Amino acid sequence: MLAGIAAELRGALGILAKRDVQIPARHLSGKAGAAGTGGAGHAVERPAALGDDCAAIPDGDGYLLLAAEGIWPAFLEGDPRFAGYSAVMVNISDIYAMGGRPIAVVDVVWGTSAGALEPVWEGMVAASRAYGVPIVGGHTSARSPYNALAVAIAGRARRLITSFAARPGDVLIAAIDLRGTMHAEHPFWNASTGVDPARLRGDLEILPALAEAGLCDAGKDISMGGVAGTLLMLLETSGAGAVLDLEAVPRPRGMRDLCGLSLARWLLAFPSYGFLLSVRPEAAGEVLAAFARRGIASAAVGAVDGSRRLTLQAGGERQTLWDLAAEPLTGFAAEGAR
């Protein structure tokens, strides 16, 4: 069974698509620490590392966070309102994943007609209101030969949760809001639309609170690569490996009866509220308790090691999913791990 799951995960589009990131990684290699120039010739300090959920730019006593997400064309065509909602939601998740709080978003929307843009805008505005993050500008065109959508976001953080700080010996904690439903066509677990906005915002506030309390400095939000793909990216940028216990990953009750949802499909799903954290063992109990207080399912799902391999574990079996030393995924890696 485990070999079959591993094969399905290795061939999944949500994970293979991460390899496209090797293109910017190749072009930006060695440039992450270079100084840029801003207006009036002032030097601008660049981020120390590339490959995180957001660019983290040192700014005063904290960090300015910048991120952007494009929406998969088939998703935009099939469910334009939820695609618009998700475009805002996933950017907000990126900011909180790094221990930050969002400031505002901007959009780039292309449509074949005004009618094609209406549901997209309805979705974006609904998410903006639900999460309390304003849309402050962007670009809209209803004269395009195709429909396309991307959203960018700015935020601030006092202390960071980054993809570069997972260490051997850390406990891996997955936190997923299981109070939702699976999208009928796409691998999206929707635990956001129709939810009390105060609850949505309070649930996300856990992340900066953990960072500021010094309880967590490493992790990512669970993206379109699901738990498996997100963990691979975290391990690659940290120059580490891990064992992932598939049976410990929080999942919906009666999962196999839920829209035909299999374990592999769940491991690849985007959960709308989902975070994978690498936590020092002495802090793991407090981190789990923080999610429990908000009614969010969380569990210790594995441990970080120095192998640079992601090993799956279930039913007494073990199977290597990916050897990052032999085969990079995104191409962004910690210094000395390339």
Side-chain angles (χ1 to χ4, degrees):
M1 179 187 93
L2 194 55
I5 291 174
E8 187 171 348
L9 295 178
R10 277 195 295 268
L13 178 61
I15 291 180
L16 293 179
K18 302 299 183 185
R19 302 182 76 169
D20 296 347
V21 181
Q22 292 183 27
I23 300 169
R26 186 173 65 252
H27 282 274
L28 296 173
S29 177
K31 296 183 174 62
T37 55
H42 296 300
V44 177
E45 189 173 4
R46 295 285 298 276
L50 296 171
D52 230 324
D53 285 312
C54 304
I57 302 169
D59 183 44
D61 60 353
Y63 299 86
L64 176 65
L65 303 178
L66 296 174
E69 296 278 357
I71 293 299
W72 192 250
F75 180 32
L76 180 61
E77 293 295 331
D79 196 342
R81 191 183 190 282
F82 189 45
Y85 187 98
S86 297
V88 174
M89 176 180 65
V90 297
N91 274 282
I92 290 170
S93 182
D94 280 341
I95 295 290
Y96 278 105
M98 290 196 62
R101 294 176 178 88
I103 298 171
V105 299
V106 295
D107 62 88
V108 178
V109 190
W110 294 85
T112 56
S113 66
L117 295 180
E118 283 300 322
V120 178
W121 266 103
E122 288 171 5
M124 288 196 296
V125 169
S128 170
R129 290 173 176 166
Y131 289 98
V133 181
I135 300 171
V136 297
H139 175 88
T140 298
S141 173
R143 303 174 187 278
S144 169
Y146 52 81
N147 298 320
L149 172 62
V151 169
I153 192 166
R156 288 192 180 277
R158 297 189 184 102
R159 298 184 69 173
L160 291 178
I161 297 173
T162 86
S163 299
F164 291 84
R167 305 176 190 169
D170 281 0
V171 177
L172 289 171
I173 291 177
I176 302 173
D177 189 350
L178 299 181
R179 299 165 292 189
T181 56
M182 200 70 182
H183 193 280
E185 297 179 23
H186 300 283
F188 305 147
W189 178 258
N190 180 8
S192 179
T193 59
V195 175
D196 177 9
R199 197 192 90 190
L200 290 175
R201 300 174 196 181
D203 290 348
L204 286 167
E205 184 63 25
I206 296 171
L207 281 304
L210 291 175
E212 289 162 11
L215 293 171
C216 181
D217 65 359
K220 295 183 76 68
D221 73 322
I222 299 173
S223 68
M224 283 303 300
V227 173
T230 299
L231 180 52
L232 275 172
M233 291 187 289
L234 175 62
L235 297 176
E236 184 174 32
T237 47
S238 291
V243 175
L244 175 64
D245 183 355
L246 302 187
E247 295 172 309
V249 175
R251 68 190 76 177
R253 291 183 179 179
M255 189 181 67
R256 294 189 181 280
D257 299 323
L258 186 65
C259 302
L261 188 60
S262 67
L263 177 57
R265 189 180 178 211
W266 178 245
L267 292 171
L268 292 165
F270 169 70
S272 57
Y273 184 105
F275 298 91
L276 189 64
L277 305 177
S278 187
V279 179
R280 310 293 104 82
E282 61 273 15
E286 290 184 72
V287 171
L288 290 167
F291 289 108
R293 285 193 291 270
R294 298 289 308 181
I296 295 166
S298 64
V301 298
V304 179
D305 58 39
S307 68
R308 296 188 65 198
R309 293 187 299 272
L310 175 52
T311 301
L312 307 180
Q313 175 180 293
E317 298 180 65
R318 286 195 172 191
Q319 180 80 33
T320 298
L321 176 65
W322 205 287
D323 184 345
L324 289 162
E327 186 179 7
L329 182 64
T330 68
F332 284 120
E335 289 297 327
R338 292 184 178 87

